[in-house]
């Protein structure tokens, strides 16, 4: 271990890194850490729209996505650090997010995967193949992989 980052006042459940910054999500706030500046906290984003479960960066590092316990995906502008969209659609906590090009994917306690357009933030499709919560997503150029509490990993082309 090299360093411990402190400052959160609750459990830290989510992290992502992009464009020289580490984003960590804890309960109702997101901390932005400057990687090249000794991991100094440069911003705290307050989220009053639900406890944070997952984070991802989209649109060439312009937007931060935050999946929440309140079934919502919050979209933050990374220039102003303000919430510009609250995306509804899941009926369970949003446990995972992953991004690929002009799309992003969300997995939820409601057993679904939603495919979103990252330009206009509209839901394009809902995939229902798991019988329990979708807990992890990974995307490659050719496939989406989803892992679930139903003891399965599914491969999507």
């Amino acid at each position: 271990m090299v360093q411990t980052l402190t400052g959160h006042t609750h459990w830290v459940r989510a992290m992502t890194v992009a464009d020289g910054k580490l984003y960590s999500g804890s309960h109702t706030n997101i901390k932005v850490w400057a990687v090249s500046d000794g991991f100094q906290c440069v911003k705290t984003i307050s989220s009053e729209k639900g406890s944070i479960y997952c984070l991802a960066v989209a649109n060439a590092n312009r937007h931060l996505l935050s999946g929440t316990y309140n079934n919502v995906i919050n979209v933050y502008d990374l220039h102003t650090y303000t919430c510009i969209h609250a995306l509804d659609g899941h009926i369970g906590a949003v446990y995972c997010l992953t991004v690929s090009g002009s799309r992003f994917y969300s997995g939820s306690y409601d057993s679904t995967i939603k495919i979103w357009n990252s330009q206009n933030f509209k839901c394009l499709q809902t995939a229902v193949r798991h019988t329990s919560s979708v807990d992890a997503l990974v995307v490659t150029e050719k496939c989406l992989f989803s892992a679930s509490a139903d003891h399965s990993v599914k491969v999507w082309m």
Side-chain angles (χ1 to χ4, degrees):
M1 185 185 74
V2 176
Q3 190 171 349
T4 300
L5 307 181
T6 59
H8 284 293
T9 58
H10 210 278
W11 42 254
V12 179
R13 185 170 291 216
M15 290 190 306
T16 193
V17 67
D19 199 31
K21 294 184 178 77
L22 171 70
Y23 302 90
S24 57
S26 170
H27 195 48
T28 57
N29 67 52
I30 300 165
K31 293 213 175 272
V32 182
W33 310 88
V35 173
S36 63
D37 193 20
F39 292 98
Q40 294 298 311
C41 182
V42 295
K43 185 71 177 173
T44 299
I45 305 168
S46 179
S47 171
E48 298 175 7
K49 296 177 170 89
S51 189
I52 297 159
Y53 274 54
C54 54
L55 295 168
V57 174
N59 298 328
N61 302 320
R62 292 191 333 259
H63 297 113
L64 177 67
L65 310 172
S66 168
T68 71
Y69 177 79
N70 291 16
N71 316 340
V72 172
I73 301 166
N74 294 314
V75 180
Y76 296 91
D77 180 307
L78 285 178
H79 293 105
T80 63
Y81 295 107
T82 57
C83 184
I84 57 172
H85 295 287
L87 308 178
D88 295 314
H90 283 292
I91 55 172
V94 180
Y95 284 162
C96 50
L97 293 162
T98 192
V99 177
S100 179
S102 63
R103 291 186 177 176
F104 69 92
Y105 306 82
S106 58
S108 171
Y109 179 79
D110 65 12
S111 306
T112 68
I113 299 165
K114 292 199 176 283
I115 303 166
W116 304 83
N117 180 312
S118 63
Q119 304 304 310
N120 63 16
F121 302 105
K122 302 289 185 202
C123 183
L124 302 172
Q125 184 177 356
T126 300
V128 184
R129 292 291 183 268
H130 284 288
T131 58
S132 193
S133 64
V134 178
D135 300 321
L137 295 169
V138 175
V139 67
T140 67
E141 289 181 19
K142 297 181 181 181
C143 298
L144 173 70
F145 301 91
S146 58
S148 171
D150 67 9
H151 307 175
S152 73
V153 173
K154 299 211 183 286
V155 182
W156 309 79
M157 301 300 265

